[in-house]
Amino acid sequence: MKKNMYAKMIGENLKVALSNFKEARTEKCKCCGQSLKNIYTQEWLAKKIGITKATIVHHFQGNREPSASRLMEIADVLGIEVSELLKKKQKKNVD
């Protein structure tokens, strides 16, 4: 698989992983009871791992392949295995 194909695959998996992370959150605002799911953005993830928003956007768009150490940091923050970010999409069988 070519390098930019890996970057695109990782980008798609990052989108799914962040979405799943947001959906699993149940925290509520202490003052109004609203869900805090909307705080978990690409910018939030970038801050958690110490990179710029522009860099994380490049990863999500599949324009730049993250290093192995960055993949480990992202997986750690999102509470998943690195392998989840490296999975190929399964092709659907059409009968």
Side-chain angles (χ1 to χ4, degrees):
M1 192 180 282
K2 293 183 180 179
K3 187 172 183 173
N4 85 342
M5 290 175 68
Y6 277 120
K8 295 224 181 280
M9 177 186 68
I10 291 168
E12 290 301 314
N13 291 338
L14 280 169
K15 291 172 192 172
V16 170
L18 184 58
S19 177
N20 290 344
F21 181 82
K22 285 171 70 167
E23 289 307 310
R25 305 285 67 90
T26 59
E27 300 94 344
K28 304 275 186 198
C29 177
K30 290 179 182 175
C31 63
C32 66
Q34 273 191 316
S35 172
L36 296 177
K37 289 180 182 184
N38 291 334
I39 68 168
Y40 301 110
T41 62
Q42 291 178 11
E43 186 173 8
W44 169 84
L45 182 57
K47 286 179 182 178
K48 287 293 275 186
I49 62 174
I51 62 174
T52 66
K53 182 181 176 186
T55 299
I56 202 77
V57 166
H58 283 294
H59 294 326
F60 272 78
Q61 292 175 342
N63 297 330
R64 191 177 299 160
E65 188 175 327
S67 66
S69 61
R70 180 148 307 139
L71 285 172
M72 289 188 293
E73 291 173 326
I74 292 169
D76 187 50
V77 168
L78 297 179
I80 60 173
E81 297 292 325
V82 173
S83 61
E84 291 294 311
L85 299 173
L86 301 174
K87 288 193 305 191
K88 289 184 187 180
K89 279 188 177 179
Q90 298 295 319
K91 292 183 180 180
K92 293 182 180 180
N93 291 335
V94 179
D95 293 328

